[in-house]
Amino acid sequence: MPARNTVQRQVIEETLRSLANHPTADEVYDAVHAEHPSIGKATVYRTLGRLSDEGTIGRVRINNGADRFDHRTFSHYHVRCVRCGRVDDVMIPLLGDVDEAAARASGYQICGHTLQFDGICPACQACGEERG
Amino acid sequence: MPARNTVQRQVIEETLRSLANHPTADEVYDAVHAEHPSIGKATVYRTLGRLSDEGTIGRVRINNGADRFDHRTFSHYHVRCVRCGRVDDVMIPLLGDVDEAAARASGYQICGHTLQFDGICPACQACGEERG
DNA sequence: CTTTTTGCAAACCCTTTGCAAGACA
DNA sequence: TGTCTTGCAAAGGGTTTGCAAAAAG
């Protein structure tokens, strides 16, 4: 039973593709709603969830913050700026062997990991230099 | 100005030490409140926050879930069971050089990282075997 | 015609906050 | 005393859900 191809689904997916820098569901909703005022927030949340469940888009879970969505689906890591909240990609090789190490160390059957960096983005570094 | 040594603070810290397996703030509150019904939830949240800010206890931020607190303060990684939500330690060596690699790759000034594993805990593996 | 999806609003979880009363130093 | 902390209840951010109506297949 493939997902139904509704107008909302198309609009949401296209809008996500048009947005850069890992929008939150709310940001996607704002953009969608600006062009299509009849599309509700619950639909955006539900549809983003379905799209990421089926692997069409990516979902980036952020510690202590709203989830972010990504039209790119290959897995990669992210940094979040602790000053402004911006999220960017970190294109380093995926950690290959930690999952096995974690499995051995914990007894869990590991199905994946999330690695999130925290730091200060270039813009905030520039603005905040005088403060140390 | 050191923190004031209130009864609540002592109770909360002791209760956390008595609880195993990374309780959430709410779980700490339940335990605290059972013995000291007058201690309110806001106090538990505030106090756990202060204790972790000052480094007396550890805070584990969980993707899509309540924060968990830990009386152990040395940093280590965690796994979460995707079936039952249980959180356990993963005692593998800390990743030493990823932060520099991430800094180089992103331009951020990296101040740390969070690595969370997802998996199935031994108990759930046993219960769920017949389901594949 | 059956089943999924939508839109709305209300509910939900986790956490923080405003404020006056109370406790600490 | 001066200031930090508490307790309460209300508010907040992010997300999910119940339900009837609408749309997809």
Side-chain angles (χ1 to χ4, degrees):
Chain A
M1 59 250 111
R4 288 190 179 176
N5 187 30
T6 66
V7 176
Q8 291 87 341
R9 183 184 172 94
Q10 292 171 35
V11 167
I12 291 166
E13 197 177 338
E14 280 165 24
T15 302
L16 177 65
R17 282 181 205 294
S18 77
L19 292 171
N21 202 48
H22 314 289
T24 62
D26 237 67
E27 287 165 352
V28 175
Y29 167 72
D30 287 343
V32 163
H33 196 253
E35 294 294 311
H36 305 265
S38 66
I39 298 182
K41 187 172 285 195
T43 301
V44 173
Y45 275 83
R46 271 189 292 232
T47 304
L48 288 172
R50 282 173 201 149
L51 287 167
S52 63
D53 285 349
E54 72 191 39
T56 308
I57 66 174
R59 174 192 288 236
V60 186
R61 301 192 184 279
I62 299 292
N63 291 336
N64 267 284
D67 284 4
R68 286 154 182 280
F69 295 87
D70 194 338
H71 57 91
R72 278 134 62 263
T73 54
F74 61 93
S75 67
H76 55 279
Y77 302 126
H78 296 90
V79 220
R80 182 161 71 148
C81 180
V82 296
R83 291 211 181 135
C84 69
R86 183 186 167 88
V87 171
D88 277 297
D89 295 325
V90 176
M91 291 316 201
I92 59 175
L94 298 183
L95 266 36
D97 34 351
V98 274
D99 286 0
E100 291 97 81
R104 261 179 266 119
S106 66
Y108 276 58
Q109 181 182 315
I110 302 293
C111 54
H113 65 255
T114 308
L115 176 59
Q116 179 190 314
F117 294 94
D118 295 297
I120 300 172
C121 73
C124 286
Q125 285 175 45
C127 295
E129 262 165 8
E130 67 276 10
R131 285 191 276 122
Chain B
M1 59 242 119
R4 289 190 178 173
N5 187 30
T6 66
V7 176
Q8 291 86 342
R9 184 185 172 95
Q10 291 171 35
V11 168
I12 291 166
E13 197 177 337
E14 280 164 26
T15 303
L16 177 64
R17 284 181 205 292
S18 78
L19 293 171
N21 204 46
H22 313 290
T24 62
D26 239 67
E27 287 165 353
V28 175
Y29 167 72
D30 287 343
V32 163
H33 196 253
E35 294 295 310
H36 304 264
S38 66
I39 298 183
K41 187 173 286 195
T43 299
V44 174
Y45 274 85
R46 272 190 290 233
T47 303
L48 288 172
R50 282 175 200 148
L51 288 167
S52 63
D53 285 350
E54 72 192 38
T56 308
I57 65 173
R59 174 193 287 239
V60 187
R61 302 193 182 280
I62 300 292
N63 292 336
N64 266 285
D67 285 3
R68 286 155 182 280
F69 295 88
D70 194 339
H71 57 91
R72 277 134 60 266
T73 55
F74 62 91
S75 67
H76 54 278
Y77 302 127
H78 296 89
V79 220
R80 182 161 70 148
C81 179
V82 296
R83 291 209 182 138
C84 69
R86 183 188 168 88
V87 170
D88 278 296
D89 295 326
V90 177
M91 291 316 202
I92 59 174
L94 298 182
L95 266 36
D97 35 351
V98 274
D99 287 359
E100 292 96 82
R104 260 179 266 117
S106 65
Y108 276 58
Q109 183 183 315
I110 303 294
C111 53
H113 66 256
T114 309
L115 176 59
Q116 179 190 314
F117 294 94
D118 295 297
I120 300 171
C121 74
C124 287
Q125 286 176 45
C127 294
E129 261 164 8
E130 66 278 7
R131 285 190 276 120

